[in-house]
Amino acid sequence: PDLRGDVDLLTRLEQPARDNETGVMHFQNEPGSRGGFSLYVPEYYSADASWPLVVALHGASSLILLDSRMSAIDTSNPLFGFALVLIAGGLIMLLTTMGRFGVKRSVGQETSTLTCSGMYRRSRNPQLVFYGIAVVGYALLWPSWTGAIWVVLYAALAQMMVRTEEAHLKRAYGSDYVEYCTRTPRYIDLPGKK
């Protein structure tokens, strides 16, 4: 909402897309096909500046690695109920954590203070942990080797994201963040582990 009145940003967004350089680009993404992807590059992109790369690789990979048709779910599989519990529990805890943390803070728009309370006393990344639980449940709806690969892909992407965020938070909060890291585990608070 604060950016809606940003005249400079609005002017930059009104620039026309440059063919095959900016705007929304689709690759092997015809209707009814699987495995393609779309990419959005802001119209004001310039190679002269550094830009963060945000990719929805994991979500899109579910289309490739999982047979995610509802009709393909075997409800007689003993894992079915467990999968639903993981999905529901993970998503409920994720949304609860985001709600308590605040949506603006959850997506990096509010960064005035370092949050170390609530779930953030037990994990520096509870949102990723809870989403990871839901991801495992989702993969168990269609148990397969490709589902296991999908879970490993999530873990690898989450780890890369966390490492990037940690470097940023260390620059932003300095010794406060370093001290927080010494007392709070990166993912799960296990006895004797940090």
Side-chain angles (χ1 to χ4, degrees):
D2 297 341
L3 298 177
R4 289 184 182 154
D6 186 333
V7 176
D8 181 51
L9 176 61
L10 293 172
T11 302
R12 290 185 290 153
L13 288 171
E14 288 173 354
Q15 294 177 16
R18 297 186 306 271
D19 285 342
N20 297 320
E21 291 183 28
T22 64
V24 179
M25 296 173 265
H26 304 283
F27 302 90
Q28 299 177 358
N29 209 13
E30 294 77 28
S33 67
R34 293 179 63 170
F37 65 95
S38 297
L39 175 68
Y40 171 71
V41 178
E43 286 75 12
Y44 53 88
Y45 169 79
S46 167
D48 300 336
S50 61
W51 296 77
L53 177 62
V54 179
V55 180
L57 177 61
H58 186 259
S61 69
S62 69
L63 297 173
I64 299 166
L65 297 174
L66 298 176
D67 183 4
S68 51
R69 293 171 296 154
M70 297 307 272
S71 62
I73 297 174
D74 180 6
T75 57
S76 66
N77 184 326
L79 294 174
F80 177 73
F82 183 59
L84 292 180
V85 168
L86 290 177
I87 293 168
L91 291 177
I92 288 168
M93 292 303 295
L94 170 67
L95 294 173
T96 300
T97 301
M98 289 179 76
R100 289 189 178 159
F101 191 52
V103 174
K104 280 190 169 188
R105 297 187 89 183
S106 295
V107 296
Q109 291 181 345
E110 159 51 72
T111 58
S112 60
T113 60
L114 182 63
T115 299
C116 306
S117 60
M119 289 304 300
Y120 289 86
R121 283 191 336 255
R122 303 272 182 240
S123 170
R124 295 194 313 260
N125 298 284
Q127 294 173 29
L128 291 175
V129 171
F130 294 136
Y131 183 68
I133 291 169
V135 163
V136 169
Y138 188 71
L140 289 176
L141 289 176
W142 301 275
S144 65
W145 284 107
T146 56
I149 291 169
W150 189 66
V151 171
V152 170
L153 178 62
Y154 170 75
L157 291 171
Q159 177 68 4
M160 287 188 291
M161 186 174 79
V162 164
R163 293 289 189 168
T164 302
E165 286 179 353
E166 286 177 341
H168 165 73
L169 292 169
K170 188 174 181 182
R171 284 190 305 274
Y173 299 109
S175 61
D176 288 343
Y177 183 70
V178 172
E179 196 272 320
Y180 171 60
C181 290
T182 61
R183 69 176 190 274
T184 308
R186 180 177 284 144
Y187 297 111
I188 300 173
D189 189 8
L190 297 173
K193 297 279 184 179
K194 288 290 177 202

